[in-house]
Amino acid sequence: PVQNVVNTLDLACYYIRLFCTLERQQQIRRDSMADSKGPSRELQAFIEREQQLAQMQQMIATLTEVCFEKCVSSPGSYLSSRETSCIENCAKRFIDTTQFILQRAAHKAESSSSF
């Protein structure tokens, strides 16, 4: 049961990395269009990586908080099968929703860049 939750969280991390990749692609497009002097590319890349890391951490924290509050009625030394199942389903819904939003945002970005 705990392994299922871990696998679900691994999947969540995958989608977060996908989100970061899409964000990076959008940033590259914006950089190629911009013709202004600003911080060095190395500094921009560092800042971007740190922002992506912060976004990933925030998303995992949100997933954990929402699913824990929804599924765990009284914390103990182990999770019941009902709690484990609830957390797994909650995490999957969270991931599915995040994936849908990312795909929608990517589609919208592609549509707007073609004009």
Side-chain angles (χ1 to χ4, degrees):
V2 173
Q3 185 61 37
N4 290 341
V5 173
V6 170
N7 290 340
T8 303
L9 290 176
D10 286 342
L11 188 58
C13 290
Y14 167 78
Y15 285 117
I16 292 168
R17 285 191 301 272
L18 175 65
F19 172 76
C20 292
T21 300
L22 292 172
E23 283 291 315
R24 176 71 181 130
Q25 290 172 349
Q26 290 174 354
Q27 184 63 41
I28 289 170
R29 284 188 200 114
R30 286 190 297 265
D31 286 350
S32 66
M33 290 181 202
D35 192 30
S36 63
K37 301 288 183 196
S40 69
R41 287 198 180 271
E42 293 82 19
L43 179 58
Q44 288 176 343
F46 172 77
I47 292 170
E48 187 173 322
R49 283 191 304 272
E50 291 300 311
Q51 288 173 337
Q52 290 172 352
L53 179 59
Q55 287 174 342
M56 285 184 1
Q57 290 171 338
Q58 181 61 40
M59 191 172 281
I60 290 171
T62 301
L63 170 73
T64 302
E65 181 181 346
V66 167
C67 293
F68 187 84
E69 286 181 13
K70 178 176 177 49
C71 299
V72 180
S73 54
S74 59
S77 58
Y78 66 93
L79 296 173
S80 70
S81 61
R82 183 193 65 75
E83 291 170 330
T84 301
S85 177
C86 180
I87 289 173
E88 187 175 333
N89 290 332
C90 178
K92 285 180 182 177
R93 282 194 310 272
F94 185 89
I95 291 167
D96 289 344
T97 302
T98 302
Q99 180 183 16
F100 173 78
I101 291 169
L102 292 174
Q103 289 173 344
R104 178 86 171 139
H107 178 68
K108 192 171 186 176
E110 288 174 6
S111 296
S112 66
S113 66
S114 64
F115 289 112

